[in-house]
Amino acid sequence: MLKNHFKLISGTANKKLAEEVAKILKVPLTPVEIKKFHDGEIYCRVLESVRGCDVFIIQPTSPDASLNLMELLIMVDALKRSSPDKITAVIPYYGYCRQDKKTKPREPITAKLVANMIEVAGVSRVITFDLHVAQVQGFFDIPSDNLEVIPLFAEYIASKKLKNVVVVSPDAGGAARAREFGKVLHAPIAIVDKRRPEPNVAEVHNIIGDVKGKTAFIVDDIIDTAGSITGAANILMKFGAKDVYALATHPVLSNPAIERIQSSLIKEVIVTNTIEIPEVKRLSRLRVISIAPLLAETVKRTHEGLPMGIVYEEMYKNLEKKLK
Ligand code: R5P
């Protein structure tokens, strides 16, 4: 189905996801050799010709974000010097995105810095999932597709056939995401008043909206230390929510996320596989929804120059039927 000049390559950050995509597309992964010098320096060599090819490289910036970003850049450099036609960087989790503006003097804007680095390395297009804020797409001067996972999450929620649902944003910054999600589910929204006195510290103060007696779905982009979702769950229960679920696209799950989720009141935590979750972090309460089918379709359509809008229209149409 896909022509000879199509190549799919994986870095080491999430090979399982790349293999799932390769299986759906019925193509082999192009072999690469990736190793490290003793000082940690990364070496990469593409083991077959990519001359004139349309190359897709899958590499999220999973923890360790800096290491995986560097590996992506080095792989792109190796490819660029091998005369492909185009290089698309598929970055299912685009880290460094939370630093998207200066909130205090003398701070960096890493979301822009990383976009610059990716472009300079030689990428001609990027595909991301659920960027921390969608406007980061504008930090790239090359075409970018930022895919939403809302229909995947909504389908899972619809299968639960729950009544009296409220969608909750764990902070003011996520209100747009919650609003969009609420629209899809035909549910009202609530917003948690969260403050961040410093990175990775979340203080929860209040809730805007009515959650009493309702099943609450906290929706966020990232679960890092799980301070935001567990803090939100506590206040939701305090304000009378019946049950609390948490949904987040990117399971970063840094310490002490697992302990926090385990000792929380959250019934189920639903995430995707943009980041591979190590076995030790696989709680029974954690449900992982695969983005592989959506990613495979996106890669195929990008290669063939076809639009993605129709795919989403179809997904939303099917969802609407399930919600009736
Ligand atoms: C912050 O603005 C993000 O959207 C997430 O809420 C945050 O990164 C989650 O971090 P943590 O799990 O450490 O609270």
Side-chain angles (χ1 to χ4, degrees), residues 1-2 6 21 25 54 56 86 88 125 127 145 147 293-315:
M1 146 191 90
L2 292 162
F6 172 86
V21 172
L25 293 175
D54 188 12
F56 290 78
K86 275 180 276 165
T88 299
R125 174 178 207 109
I127 296 174
D145 294 293
L147 301 170
L294 178 59
L295 178 53
E297 188 63 28
T298 309
V299 165
K300 181 171 166 278
R301 285 179 167 265
T302 304
H303 174 63
E304 291 171 347
L306 297 171
M308 271 307 286
I310 189 164
V311 175
Y312 273 89
E313 272 167 33
E314 206 51 42
M315 281 198 286

PDB file of all heavy atoms in Angstrom, residues 1-2 6 21 25 54 56 86 88 125 127 145 147 293-315:
ATOM      1  N   MET A   1       0.823  -1.193   0.000  1.00  0.00           N
ATOM      2  CA  MET A   1       0.000   0.000   0.000  1.00  0.00           C
ATOM      3  C   MET A   1       0.868   1.259   0.000  1.00  0.00           C
ATOM      4  O   MET A   1       0.706   2.142  -0.828  1.00  0.00           O
ATOM      5  CB  MET A   1      -0.932  -0.129   1.198  1.00  0.00           C
ATOM      6  CG  MET A   1      -1.319   1.085   1.910  1.00  0.00           C
ATOM      7  SD  MET A   1      -2.148   0.671   3.445  1.00  0.00           S
ATOM      8  CE  MET A   1      -0.833   0.592   4.583  1.00  0.00           C
ATOM      9  N   LEU A   2       1.861   1.336   0.943  1.00  0.00           N
ATOM     10  CA  LEU A   2       2.751   2.500   0.959  1.00  0.00           C
ATOM     11  C   LEU A   2       3.914   2.244  -0.003  1.00  0.00           C
ATOM     12  O   LEU A   2       4.435   1.136  -0.074  1.00  0.00           O
ATOM     13  CB  LEU A   2       3.260   2.764   2.374  1.00  0.00           C
ATOM     14  CG  LEU A   2       2.170   3.233   3.347  1.00  0.00           C
ATOM     15  CD1 LEU A   2       2.596   3.067   4.774  1.00  0.00           C
ATOM     16  CD2 LEU A   2       1.809   4.669   3.090  1.00  0.00           C
ATOM     17  N   PHE A   6       8.786   5.290   1.187  1.00  0.00           N
ATOM     18  CA  PHE A   6       8.309   5.604   2.543  1.00  0.00           C
ATOM     19  C   PHE A   6       9.193   4.885   3.559  1.00  0.00           C
ATOM     20  O   PHE A   6       9.456   3.691   3.427  1.00  0.00           O
ATOM     21  CB  PHE A   6       6.855   5.129   2.688  1.00  0.00           C
ATOM     22  CG  PHE A   6       6.331   5.231   4.089  1.00  0.00           C
ATOM     23  CD1 PHE A   6       5.773   6.420   4.552  1.00  0.00           C
ATOM     24  CD2 PHE A   6       6.399   4.158   4.967  1.00  0.00           C
ATOM     25  CE1 PHE A   6       5.297   6.523   5.849  1.00  0.00           C
ATOM     26  CE2 PHE A   6       5.925   4.255   6.262  1.00  0.00           C
ATOM     27  CZ  PHE A   6       5.363   5.445   6.697  1.00  0.00           C
ATOM     28  N   VAL A  21       2.663   1.096  15.205  1.00  0.00           N
ATOM     29  CA  VAL A  21       2.337   1.879  13.999  1.00  0.00           C
ATOM     30  C   VAL A  21       2.813   1.126  12.749  1.00  0.00           C
ATOM     31  O   VAL A  21       2.087   1.015  11.757  1.00  0.00           O
ATOM     32  CB  VAL A  21       2.973   3.295  14.085  1.00  0.00           C
ATOM     33  CG1 VAL A  21       2.806   4.050  12.774  1.00  0.00           C
ATOM     34  CG2 VAL A  21       2.360   4.091  15.232  1.00  0.00           C
ATOM     35  N   LEU A  25       0.595  -0.193   9.569  1.00  0.00           N
ATOM     36  CA  LEU A  25       0.903   0.263   8.197  1.00  0.00           C
ATOM     37  C   LEU A  25       1.500  -0.840   7.329  1.00  0.00           C
ATOM     38  O   LEU A  25       1.711  -0.641   6.128  1.00  0.00           O
ATOM     39  CB  LEU A  25       1.868   1.455   8.250  1.00  0.00           C
ATOM     40  CG  LEU A  25       1.322   2.748   8.855  1.00  0.00           C
ATOM     41  CD1 LEU A  25       2.420   3.795   8.953  1.00  0.00           C
ATOM     42  CD2 LEU A  25       0.160   3.296   8.026  1.00  0.00           C
ATOM     43  N   ASP A  54      10.622   9.601   1.824  1.00  0.00           N
ATOM     44  CA  ASP A  54       9.772  10.376   2.731  1.00  0.00           C
ATOM     45  C   ASP A  54       9.905   9.684   4.090  1.00  0.00           C
ATOM     46  O   ASP A  54       9.337   8.616   4.315  1.00  0.00           O
ATOM     47  CB  ASP A  54       8.321  10.318   2.203  1.00  0.00           C
ATOM     48  CG  ASP A  54       7.399  11.249   2.964  1.00  0.00           C
ATOM     49  OD1 ASP A  54       7.898  12.094   3.737  1.00  0.00           O
ATOM     50  OD2 ASP A  54       6.165  11.134   2.784  1.00  0.00           O
ATOM     51  N   PHE A  56       9.703   9.222   8.194  1.00  0.00           N
ATOM     52  CA  PHE A  56       8.985   9.570   9.437  1.00  0.00           C
ATOM     53  C   PHE A  56       9.764   8.988  10.596  1.00  0.00           C
ATOM     54  O   PHE A  56      10.035   7.782  10.613  1.00  0.00           O
ATOM     55  CB  PHE A  56       7.556   8.993   9.414  1.00  0.00           C
ATOM     56  CG  PHE A  56       6.665   9.678   8.428  1.00  0.00           C
ATOM     57  CD1 PHE A  56       6.750   9.395   7.068  1.00  0.00           C
ATOM     58  CD2 PHE A  56       5.744  10.631   8.844  1.00  0.00           C
ATOM     59  CE1 PHE A  56       5.943  10.040   6.146  1.00  0.00           C
ATOM     60  CE2 PHE A  56       4.927  11.278   7.936  1.00  0.00           C
ATOM     61  CZ  PHE A  56       5.029  10.991   6.577  1.00  0.00           C
ATOM     62  N   LYS A  86      12.077  14.195   2.422  1.00  0.00           N
ATOM     63  CA  LYS A  86      11.490  14.958   3.535  1.00  0.00           C
ATOM     64  C   LYS A  86      11.725  14.200   4.836  1.00  0.00           C
ATOM     65  O   LYS A  86      11.784  12.958   4.837  1.00  0.00           O
ATOM     66  CB  LYS A  86       9.967  15.070   3.341  1.00  0.00           C
ATOM     67  CG  LYS A  86       9.547  16.224   2.455  1.00  0.00           C
ATOM     68  CD  LYS A  86       8.036  16.264   2.320  1.00  0.00           C
ATOM     69  CE  LYS A  86       7.577  15.328   1.227  1.00  0.00           C
ATOM     70  NZ  LYS A  86       6.216  14.970   1.132  1.00  0.00           N
ATOM     71  N   THR A  88       9.882  13.930   8.534  1.00  0.00           N
ATOM     72  CA  THR A  88       8.820  14.336   9.462  1.00  0.00           C
ATOM     73  C   THR A  88       9.171  13.808  10.846  1.00  0.00           C
ATOM     74  O   THR A  88       9.386  12.604  11.016  1.00  0.00           O
ATOM     75  CB  THR A  88       7.448  13.777   9.021  1.00  0.00           C
ATOM     76  OG1 THR A  88       7.141  14.310   7.732  1.00  0.00           O
ATOM     77  CG2 THR A  88       6.342  14.157   9.992  1.00  0.00           C
ATOM     78  N   ARG A 125       8.731  18.725   8.778  1.00  0.00           N
ATOM     79  CA  ARG A 125       7.351  18.767   9.277  1.00  0.00           C
ATOM     80  C   ARG A 125       7.315  18.097  10.645  1.00  0.00           C
ATOM     81  O   ARG A 125       8.081  17.161  10.888  1.00  0.00           O
ATOM     82  CB  ARG A 125       6.474  17.999   8.275  1.00  0.00           C
ATOM     83  CG  ARG A 125       5.072  17.819   8.685  1.00  0.00           C
ATOM     84  CD  ARG A 125       4.231  17.103   7.630  1.00  0.00           C
ATOM     85  NE  ARG A 125       2.869  17.537   7.814  1.00  0.00           N
ATOM     86  CZ  ARG A 125       2.231  18.334   6.992  1.00  0.00           C
ATOM     87  NH1 ARG A 125       2.772  18.740   5.888  1.00  0.00           N
ATOM     88  NH2 ARG A 125       1.003  18.725   7.266  1.00  0.00           N
ATOM     89  N   ILE A 127       4.760  16.274  13.730  1.00  0.00           N
ATOM     90  CA  ILE A 127       3.452  15.773  14.161  1.00  0.00           C
ATOM     91  C   ILE A 127       3.540  15.613  15.676  1.00  0.00           C
ATOM     92  O   ILE A 127       4.446  14.944  16.180  1.00  0.00           O
ATOM     93  CB  ILE A 127       3.108  14.417  13.495  1.00  0.00           C
ATOM     94  CG1 ILE A 127       2.965  14.584  11.978  1.00  0.00           C
ATOM     95  CG2 ILE A 127       1.829  13.827  14.093  1.00  0.00           C
ATOM     96  CD1 ILE A 127       2.769  13.286  11.197  1.00  0.00           C
ATOM     97  N   ASP A 145       1.298  19.386  12.636  1.00  0.00           N
ATOM     98  CA  ASP A 145      -0.028  18.852  12.948  1.00  0.00           C
ATOM     99  C   ASP A 145      -0.040  18.511  14.418  1.00  0.00           C
ATOM    100  O   ASP A 145       0.793  17.730  14.876  1.00  0.00           O
ATOM    101  CB  ASP A 145      -0.298  17.553  12.161  1.00  0.00           C
ATOM    102  CG  ASP A 145      -0.387  17.795  10.671  1.00  0.00           C
ATOM    103  OD1 ASP A 145      -1.338  18.452  10.246  1.00  0.00           O
ATOM    104  OD2 ASP A 145       0.514  17.332   9.943  1.00  0.00           O
ATOM    105  N   LEU A 147      -2.239  16.710  16.968  1.00  0.00           N
ATOM    106  CA  LEU A 147      -3.424  15.842  17.004  1.00  0.00           C
ATOM    107  C   LEU A 147      -4.069  15.822  18.383  1.00  0.00           C
ATOM    108  O   LEU A 147      -3.378  15.754  19.397  1.00  0.00           O
ATOM    109  CB  LEU A 147      -3.037  14.423  16.600  1.00  0.00           C
ATOM    110  CG  LEU A 147      -2.419  14.313  15.215  1.00  0.00           C
ATOM    111  CD1 LEU A 147      -1.848  12.935  14.987  1.00  0.00           C
ATOM    112  CD2 LEU A 147      -3.444  14.635  14.153  1.00  0.00           C
ATOM    113  N   PRO A 293      -3.394   3.615  16.203  1.00  0.00           N
ATOM    114  CA  PRO A 293      -4.223   3.653  14.988  1.00  0.00           C
ATOM    115  C   PRO A 293      -4.364   5.073  14.417  1.00  0.00           C
ATOM    116  O   PRO A 293      -4.272   5.272  13.203  1.00  0.00           O
ATOM    117  CB  PRO A 293      -5.581   3.103  15.461  1.00  0.00           C
ATOM    118  CG  PRO A 293      -5.249   2.289  16.678  1.00  0.00           C
ATOM    119  CD  PRO A 293      -4.093   2.975  17.341  1.00  0.00           C
ATOM    120  N   LEU A 294      -4.565   6.053  15.304  1.00  0.00           N
ATOM    121  CA  LEU A 294      -4.705   7.445  14.847  1.00  0.00           C
ATOM    122  C   LEU A 294      -3.381   7.951  14.270  1.00  0.00           C
ATOM    123  O   LEU A 294      -3.360   8.629  13.231  1.00  0.00           O
ATOM    124  CB  LEU A 294      -5.148   8.319  16.036  1.00  0.00           C
ATOM    125  CG  LEU A 294      -5.302   9.808  15.790  1.00  0.00           C
ATOM    126  CD1 LEU A 294      -6.330  10.099  14.694  1.00  0.00           C
ATOM    127  CD2 LEU A 294      -5.714  10.534  17.077  1.00  0.00           C
ATOM    128  N   LEU A 295      -2.292   7.585  14.911  1.00  0.00           N
ATOM    129  CA  LEU A 295      -0.982   8.024  14.417  1.00  0.00           C
ATOM    130  C   LEU A 295      -0.667   7.380  13.066  1.00  0.00           C
ATOM    131  O   LEU A 295      -0.179   8.049  12.144  1.00  0.00           O
ATOM    132  CB  LEU A 295       0.103   7.695  15.462  1.00  0.00           C
ATOM    133  CG  LEU A 295       1.530   8.044  15.077  1.00  0.00           C
ATOM    134  CD1 LEU A 295       1.655   9.493  14.636  1.00  0.00           C
ATOM    135  CD2 LEU A 295       2.481   7.787  16.247  1.00  0.00           C
ATOM    136  N   ALA A 296      -0.983   6.088  12.935  1.00  0.00           N
ATOM    137  CA  ALA A 296      -0.720   5.387  11.667  1.00  0.00           C
ATOM    138  C   ALA A 296      -1.502   6.053  10.534  1.00  0.00           C
ATOM    139  O   ALA A 296      -0.968   6.287   9.441  1.00  0.00           O
ATOM    140  CB  ALA A 296      -1.099   3.919  11.798  1.00  0.00           C
ATOM    141  N   GLU A 297      -2.760   6.379  10.807  1.00  0.00           N
ATOM    142  CA  GLU A 297      -3.597   7.027   9.782  1.00  0.00           C
ATOM    143  C   GLU A 297      -3.019   8.400   9.412  1.00  0.00           C
ATOM    144  O   GLU A 297      -2.991   8.787   8.241  1.00  0.00           O
ATOM    145  CB  GLU A 297      -5.033   7.169  10.339  1.00  0.00           C
ATOM    146  CG  GLU A 297      -6.074   7.652   9.351  1.00  0.00           C
ATOM    147  CD  GLU A 297      -6.304   6.699   8.173  1.00  0.00           C
ATOM    148  OE1 GLU A 297      -6.105   5.482   8.324  1.00  0.00           O
ATOM    149  OE2 GLU A 297      -6.690   7.206   7.090  1.00  0.00           O
ATOM    150  N   THR A 298      -2.529   9.110  10.428  1.00  0.00           N
ATOM    151  CA  THR A 298      -1.959  10.450  10.183  1.00  0.00           C
ATOM    152  C   THR A 298      -0.696  10.346   9.330  1.00  0.00           C
ATOM    153  O   THR A 298      -0.500  11.115   8.383  1.00  0.00           O
ATOM    154  CB  THR A 298      -1.620  11.141  11.528  1.00  0.00           C
ATOM    155  OG1 THR A 298      -2.757  11.075  12.367  1.00  0.00           O
ATOM    156  CG2 THR A 298      -1.222  12.584  11.331  1.00  0.00           C
ATOM    157  N   VAL A 299       0.162   9.387   9.670  1.00  0.00           N
ATOM    158  CA  VAL A 299       1.414   9.196   8.924  1.00  0.00           C
ATOM    159  C   VAL A 299       1.083   8.844   7.465  1.00  0.00           C
ATOM    160  O   VAL A 299       1.638   9.413   6.521  1.00  0.00           O
ATOM    161  CB  VAL A 299       2.270   8.099   9.606  1.00  0.00           C
ATOM    162  CG1 VAL A 299       3.375   7.611   8.692  1.00  0.00           C
ATOM    163  CG2 VAL A 299       2.858   8.626  10.914  1.00  0.00           C
ATOM    164  N   LYS A 300       0.144   7.929   7.301  1.00  0.00           N
ATOM    165  CA  LYS A 300      -0.237   7.487   5.953  1.00  0.00           C
ATOM    166  C   LYS A 300      -0.786   8.658   5.141  1.00  0.00           C
ATOM    167  O   LYS A 300      -0.384   8.890   4.004  1.00  0.00           O
ATOM    168  CB  LYS A 300      -1.292   6.378   6.091  1.00  0.00           C
ATOM    169  CG  LYS A 300      -1.788   5.799   4.806  1.00  0.00           C
ATOM    170  CD  LYS A 300      -2.659   4.575   5.123  1.00  0.00           C
ATOM    171  CE  LYS A 300      -3.461   4.155   3.941  1.00  0.00           C
ATOM    172  NZ  LYS A 300      -4.686   4.930   3.744  1.00  0.00           N
ATOM    173  N   ARG A 301      -1.674   9.424   5.758  1.00  0.00           N
ATOM    174  CA  ARG A 301      -2.291  10.552   5.043  1.00  0.00           C
ATOM    175  C   ARG A 301      -1.282  11.660   4.762  1.00  0.00           C
ATOM    176  O   ARG A 301      -1.353  12.318   3.728  1.00  0.00           O
ATOM    177  CB  ARG A 301      -3.477  11.109   5.842  1.00  0.00           C
ATOM    178  CG  ARG A 301      -4.663  10.204   5.757  1.00  0.00           C
ATOM    179  CD  ARG A 301      -5.847  10.673   6.539  1.00  0.00           C
ATOM    180  NE  ARG A 301      -6.978   9.880   6.124  1.00  0.00           N
ATOM    181  CZ  ARG A 301      -7.847  10.246   5.189  1.00  0.00           C
ATOM    182  NH1 ARG A 301      -7.751  11.424   4.632  1.00  0.00           N
ATOM    183  NH2 ARG A 301      -8.818   9.453   4.822  1.00  0.00           N
ATOM    184  N   THR A 302      -0.350  11.860   5.684  1.00  0.00           N
ATOM    185  CA  THR A 302       0.678  12.881   5.449  1.00  0.00           C
ATOM    186  C   THR A 302       1.534  12.457   4.263  1.00  0.00           C
ATOM    187  O   THR A 302       1.837  13.261   3.373  1.00  0.00           O
ATOM    188  CB  THR A 302       1.553  13.061   6.719  1.00  0.00           C
ATOM    189  OG1 THR A 302       0.690  13.369   7.809  1.00  0.00           O
ATOM    190  CG2 THR A 302       2.582  14.172   6.556  1.00  0.00           C
ATOM    191  N   HIS A 303       1.899  11.201   4.239  1.00  0.00           N
ATOM    192  CA  HIS A 303       2.710  10.672   3.135  1.00  0.00           C
ATOM    193  C   HIS A 303       1.977  10.814   1.805  1.00  0.00           C
ATOM    194  O   HIS A 303       2.568  11.161   0.782  1.00  0.00           O
ATOM    195  CB  HIS A 303       3.043   9.205   3.427  1.00  0.00           C
ATOM    196  CG  HIS A 303       3.742   8.501   2.306  1.00  0.00           C
ATOM    197  ND1 HIS A 303       4.988   8.891   1.861  1.00  0.00           N
ATOM    198  CD2 HIS A 303       3.365   7.451   1.524  1.00  0.00           C
ATOM    199  CE1 HIS A 303       5.361   8.101   0.862  1.00  0.00           C
ATOM    200  NE2 HIS A 303       4.384   7.224   0.636  1.00  0.00           N
ATOM    201  N   GLU A 304       0.665  10.551   1.847  1.00  0.00           N
ATOM    202  CA  GLU A 304      -0.108  10.578   0.602  1.00  0.00           C
ATOM    203  C   GLU A 304      -0.670  11.970   0.276  1.00  0.00           C
ATOM    204  O   GLU A 304      -1.383  12.136  -0.712  1.00  0.00           O
ATOM    205  CB  GLU A 304      -1.248   9.553   0.685  1.00  0.00           C
ATOM    206  CG  GLU A 304      -0.711   8.124   0.671  1.00  0.00           C
ATOM    207  CD  GLU A 304      -1.770   7.065   0.960  1.00  0.00           C
ATOM    208  OE1 GLU A 304      -2.878   7.429   1.412  1.00  0.00           O
ATOM    209  OE2 GLU A 304      -1.466   5.881   0.746  1.00  0.00           O
ATOM    210  N   GLY A 305      -0.398  12.936   1.130  1.00  0.00           N
ATOM    211  CA  GLY A 305      -0.893  14.304   0.901  1.00  0.00           C
ATOM    212  C   GLY A 305      -2.397  14.418   1.039  1.00  0.00           C
ATOM    213  O   GLY A 305      -3.035  15.202   0.337  1.00  0.00           O
ATOM    214  N   LEU A 306      -2.974  13.648   1.970  1.00  0.00           N
ATOM    215  CA  LEU A 306      -4.428  13.679   2.171  1.00  0.00           C
ATOM    216  C   LEU A 306      -4.768  14.408   3.475  1.00  0.00           C
ATOM    217  O   LEU A 306      -3.983  14.378   4.423  1.00  0.00           O
ATOM    218  CB  LEU A 306      -4.987  12.253   2.222  1.00  0.00           C
ATOM    219  CG  LEU A 306      -4.826  11.426   0.953  1.00  0.00           C
ATOM    220  CD1 LEU A 306      -5.216   9.978   1.199  1.00  0.00           C
ATOM    221  CD2 LEU A 306      -5.682  12.017  -0.164  1.00  0.00           C
ATOM    222  N   PRO A 307      -5.957  15.015   3.551  1.00  0.00           N
ATOM    223  CA  PRO A 307      -6.308  15.764   4.769  1.00  0.00           C
ATOM    224  C   PRO A 307      -6.665  14.859   5.944  1.00  0.00           C
ATOM    225  O   PRO A 307      -7.050  13.700   5.761  1.00  0.00           O
ATOM    226  CB  PRO A 307      -7.527  16.585   4.345  1.00  0.00           C
ATOM    227  CG  PRO A 307      -8.129  15.817   3.238  1.00  0.00           C
ATOM    228  CD  PRO A 307      -7.011  15.112   2.521  1.00  0.00           C
ATOM    229  N   MET A 308      -6.556  15.416   7.156  1.00  0.00           N
ATOM    230  CA  MET A 308      -6.894  14.675   8.377  1.00  0.00           C
ATOM    231  C   MET A 308      -8.284  15.039   8.895  1.00  0.00           C
ATOM    232  O   MET A 308      -8.882  14.301   9.668  1.00  0.00           O
ATOM    233  CB  MET A 308      -5.870  14.998   9.473  1.00  0.00           C
ATOM    234  CG  MET A 308      -4.671  14.106   9.506  1.00  0.00           C
ATOM    235  SD  MET A 308      -5.087  12.348   9.588  1.00  0.00           S
ATOM    236  CE  MET A 308      -5.622  12.151  11.285  1.00  0.00           C
ATOM    237  N   GLY A 309      -8.778  16.207   8.462  1.00  0.00           N
ATOM    238  CA  GLY A 309     -10.049  16.712   8.990  1.00  0.00           C
ATOM    239  C   GLY A 309     -11.166  15.689   8.876  1.00  0.00           C
ATOM    240  O   GLY A 309     -11.935  15.476   9.822  1.00  0.00           O
ATOM    241  N   ILE A 310     -11.199  15.002   7.757  1.00  0.00           N
ATOM    242  CA  ILE A 310     -12.268  14.032   7.491  1.00  0.00           C
ATOM    243  C   ILE A 310     -12.223  12.864   8.491  1.00  0.00           C
ATOM    244  O   ILE A 310     -13.247  12.323   8.898  1.00  0.00           O
ATOM    245  CB  ILE A 310     -12.167  13.556   6.023  1.00  0.00           C
ATOM    246  CG1 ILE A 310     -13.369  12.733   5.644  1.00  0.00           C
ATOM    247  CG2 ILE A 310     -10.895  12.808   5.723  1.00  0.00           C
ATOM    248  CD1 ILE A 310     -13.521  12.573   4.141  1.00  0.00           C
ATOM    249  N   VAL A 311     -11.011  12.513   8.935  1.00  0.00           N
ATOM    250  CA  VAL A 311     -10.843  11.415   9.901  1.00  0.00           C
ATOM    251  C   VAL A 311     -11.491  11.819  11.228  1.00  0.00           C
ATOM    252  O   VAL A 311     -12.225  11.046  11.852  1.00  0.00           O
ATOM    253  CB  VAL A 311      -9.347  11.083  10.106  1.00  0.00           C
ATOM    254  CG1 VAL A 311      -9.140  10.035  11.187  1.00  0.00           C
ATOM    255  CG2 VAL A 311      -8.716  10.647   8.789  1.00  0.00           C
ATOM    256  N   TYR A 312     -11.224  13.065  11.645  1.00  0.00           N
ATOM    257  CA  TYR A 312     -11.815  13.559  12.891  1.00  0.00           C
ATOM    258  C   TYR A 312     -13.329  13.686  12.770  1.00  0.00           C
ATOM    259  O   TYR A 312     -14.059  13.340  13.686  1.00  0.00           O
ATOM    260  CB  TYR A 312     -11.166  14.890  13.295  1.00  0.00           C
ATOM    261  CG  TYR A 312      -9.914  14.647  14.119  1.00  0.00           C
ATOM    262  CD1 TYR A 312      -8.680  14.500  13.513  1.00  0.00           C
ATOM    263  CD2 TYR A 312      -9.992  14.517  15.506  1.00  0.00           C
ATOM    264  CE1 TYR A 312      -7.545  14.253  14.269  1.00  0.00           C
ATOM    265  CE2 TYR A 312      -8.868  14.267  16.271  1.00  0.00           C
ATOM    266  CZ  TYR A 312      -7.644  14.144  15.652  1.00  0.00           C
ATOM    267  OH  TYR A 312      -6.527  13.880  16.406  1.00  0.00           O
ATOM    268  N   GLU A 313     -13.797  14.160  11.603  1.00  0.00           N
ATOM    269  CA  GLU A 313     -15.253  14.290  11.399  1.00  0.00           C
ATOM    270  C   GLU A 313     -15.924  12.944  11.606  1.00  0.00           C
ATOM    271  O   GLU A 313     -16.935  12.815  12.281  1.00  0.00           O
ATOM    272  CB  GLU A 313     -15.537  14.778   9.971  1.00  0.00           C
ATOM    273  CG  GLU A 313     -15.546  16.282   9.849  1.00  0.00           C
ATOM    274  CD  GLU A 313     -15.522  16.723   8.398  1.00  0.00           C
ATOM    275  OE1 GLU A 313     -16.096  16.022   7.540  1.00  0.00           O
ATOM    276  OE2 GLU A 313     -14.897  17.779   8.129  1.00  0.00           O
ATOM    277  N   GLU A 314     -15.302  11.910  11.027  1.00  0.00           N
ATOM    278  CA  GLU A 314     -15.838  10.545  11.129  1.00  0.00           C
ATOM    279  C   GLU A 314     -15.844  10.081  12.591  1.00  0.00           C
ATOM    280  O   GLU A 314     -16.825   9.517  13.070  1.00  0.00           O
ATOM    281  CB  GLU A 314     -14.943   9.632  10.259  1.00  0.00           C
ATOM    282  CG  GLU A 314     -15.596   8.384   9.712  1.00  0.00           C
ATOM    283  CD  GLU A 314     -16.924   8.636   9.002  1.00  0.00           C
ATOM    284  OE1 GLU A 314     -17.073   9.614   8.219  1.00  0.00           O
ATOM    285  OE2 GLU A 314     -17.824   7.845   9.273  1.00  0.00           O
ATOM    286  N   MET A 315     -14.732  10.357  13.301  1.00  0.00           N
ATOM    287  CA  MET A 315     -14.629   9.931  14.698  1.00  0.00           C
ATOM    288  C   MET A 315     -15.720  10.594  15.538  1.00  0.00           C
ATOM    289  O   MET A 315     -16.360   9.954  16.360  1.00  0.00           O
ATOM    290  CB  MET A 315     -13.243  10.297  15.264  1.00  0.00           C
ATOM    291  CG  MET A 315     -12.147   9.337  14.858  1.00  0.00           C
ATOM    292  SD  MET A 315     -10.682   9.470  15.906  1.00  0.00           S
ATOM    293  CE  MET A 315      -9.965  10.979  15.350  1.00  0.00           C
TER     294      MET A 315
END
